[in-house]
Amino acid sequence: MAMNRIAIIGGGPGGLMLARLLQRYGRSPVVFERDTHVDERPQGGSLDLHSQTGQYAMRQAGLEIAFAAASRPEDQGDRLYDADGTLLFDRDDPTDDRPEIDRTALRNILLEALLPGTVRWGCRVAGIIPSADGFVLVGEGWTEQFDVVVGADGAWSQVRPLLSDAKPAYEGVTLVELGFDVARHPAINRLTGSGKMFAVGDNRALITQRNGLGHIRGYAGVRLAEATAKEWRASSPEQLQQVLQDAFAGWAPMLREVVETGDVIGVRPLYALPIGHQWKSRVGLTLLGDAAHLMSPFSGEGVNLALADAVDLAGALTSDGGWTSVTRYERTMSRRAAKAAEGAAQGLNGAFSSEGVMPVLEHYRARIRRV
């Protein structure tokens, strides 16, 4: 089958990396992005790129110099507190080889590497219709034919239902995302240290993470019912701050400051696809990133997996093996993601448990032993 006309639905890091790699192979993919421009929505906090996945993808894309210029190897530290404010773990080692980069900065590097017109902004795909020669994408006032459609469109992918009946399931934990400006929040700046701060108690956690440009991103997480999470999403910032202050009322004052002073950015209920999610390969349709293997952020693997998927899929789509190569990619991707998803589930359930801080402390200690 021909695999020349390639549509990528979703302009996140995985989709953009795939487009960049395909262009390096001489192809002309089109990325459909529903946002009307690059700055329409906040892109989230800081990401750590791992050497064998995220960083490898940047090297394959010829973007290692741009990544090195924008990344922050000095922000790899970890701190862990209990709810009483006792510091249980403090490690700052910039040689861990997991340099941080703001999600916005990573996305901009990828966008700037693409040929003009690759991304079609404000193009929401309303339908994907099989045809004799592939698939027809349908939008508002337009249709276009493609040989291959790649779903890089995240948790609630519209491509995935064409391949699988799997749906993301709520994982029992909701995060409220908070923002801090270093200049206005010196106490949060001190608390965060040189990377990421975790404070863990009974089914609750506070997280702050250093971002670039003098910002810190925070998260207040609570184990709660999905119906309550929906109520939180409908609440005002003022209501949310009161709810969080009640949830963390017994915590140390230095930790409560996180929920008392942060600017509310959004409510993030955590969802995940089944571990080891697979589907019967269908010629002309495939997935990468969260669309294929959504998991909680508690493994630190999400964006790294998406970038690694892009490398493997670009190779498959440009090989001489036809769709059989894509089927092999899907199997490889599923195995790689399953291991990460197991770690993500364990990390989430360790951080939000009735055992409090001890599972997280043991995780940090075990990581040092492995190093």
Side-chain angles (χ1 to χ4, degrees):
M1 64 163 291
M3 294 196 292
N4 297 315
R5 298 170 297 176
I6 301 172
I8 302 167
I9 301 179
L16 296 176
M17 174 60 77
L18 177 61
R20 163 66 176 178
L21 292 167
L22 288 172
Q23 288 181 350
R24 297 198 94 194
Y25 282 117
R27 303 298 173 86
S28 301
V30 178
V31 178
F32 292 89
E33 171 53 51
R34 65 182 182 180
D35 288 353
T36 56
H37 58 85
V38 66
D39 296 318
E40 181 168 316
R41 290 181 298 131
Q43 294 301 303
S46 190
L47 305 164
D48 59 325
L49 293 199
H50 305 169
S51 59
Q52 300 302 312
T53 48
Q55 291 181 55
Y56 174 72
M58 297 303 281
R59 292 191 296 271
Q60 292 298 108
L63 300 174
E64 63 268 39
I65 294 175
F67 171 72
S71 65
R72 307 186 314 280
E74 69 275 12
D75 286 351
Q76 298 181 69
D78 284 303
R79 284 182 175 177
L80 177 65
Y81 292 87
D82 65 15
D84 295 326
T86 304
L87 181 62
L88 302 176
F89 185 90
D90 190 5
R91 183 171 187 264
D92 179 13
D93 188 350
T95 66
D96 278 352
D97 198 21
R98 292 186 170 193
E100 296 283 339
I101 185 169
D102 284 4
R103 183 179 288 268
T104 298
L106 175 62
R107 193 186 196 207
N108 286 340
I109 289 172
L110 292 166
L111 284 169
E112 290 167 8
L114 296 175
L115 296 173
T118 301
V119 179
R120 296 188 186 172
W121 297 99
C123 273
R124 182 187 294 272
V125 176
I128 304 168
I129 303 172
S131 72
D133 298 317
F135 293 87
V136 175
L137 299 190
V138 180
E140 188 174 346
W142 60 270
T143 62
E144 193 163 348
Q145 174 85 38
F146 290 93
D147 301 319
V148 176
V149 176
V150 179
D153 47 346
W156 307 105
S157 169
Q158 65 184 123
V159 181
R160 186 174 59 237
L162 301 175
L163 293 167
S164 167
D165 293 332
K167 296 180 180 179
Y170 179 59
E171 295 212 283
V173 171
T174 292
L175 305 180
V176 178
E177 190 172 355
L178 305 164
F180 304 89
D181 182 86
V182 167
R184 293 191 297 112
H185 296 89
I188 302 300
N189 185 39
R190 291 191 298 271
L191 180 69
T192 302
S194 60
K196 182 171 58 184
M197 183 284 302
F198 253 90
V200 179
D202 181 13
N203 283 303
R204 292 166 173 76
L206 294 174
I207 306 164
T208 60
Q209 184 180 34
R210 194 165 298 282
N211 285 211
L213 305 175
H215 296 291
I216 290 173
R217 194 64 60 103
Y219 303 89
V222 180
R223 187 173 287 282
L224 50 86
E226 187 173 16
T228 306
K230 291 178 180 178
E231 291 174 2
W232 283 24
R233 296 191 75 175
S235 300
S236 69
E238 294 77 18
Q239 291 170 324
L240 281 171
Q241 283 198 317
Q242 185 58 58
V243 166
L244 291 176
Q245 288 177 36
D246 293 342
F248 293 91
W251 288 44
M254 60 184 266
L255 298 173
R256 289 204 309 270
E257 191 158 346
V258 173
V259 295
E260 291 170 352
T261 66
D263 297 323
V264 174
I265 296 174
V267 178
R268 315 290 184 215
L270 299 184
Y271 289 83
L273 284 165
I275 294 173
H277 174 231
Q278 299 182 59
W279 57 89
K280 182 179 179 181
S281 194
R282 180 177 178 182
V283 174
L285 284 178
T286 193
L287 306 171
L288 65 73
D290 284 352
H293 43 68
L294 178 68
M295 63 190 73
S296 88
F298 282 77
S299 69
E301 296 286 358
V303 75
N304 287 285
L305 291 173
L307 296 177
D309 292 350
V311 173
D312 292 348
L313 181 53
L317 290 171
T318 55
S319 75
D320 295 329
W323 197 255
T324 301
S325 297
V326 177
T327 301
R328 283 198 295 268
Y329 148 76
E330 291 170 343
R331 292 171 182 163
T332 299
M333 176 262 290
S334 179
R335 287 194 298 269
R336 177 171 57 214
K339 182 177 179 180
E342 288 174 358
Q346 291 171 3
L348 179 70
N349 291 325
F352 295 89
S353 80
S354 56
E355 296 180 54
V357 73
M358 294 312 297
V360 183
L361 179 59
E362 179 51 37
H363 167 76
Y364 279 132
R365 288 172 173 169
R367 200 169 76 184
I368 289 179
R369 290 195 293 268
R370 288 194 297 271
V371 173

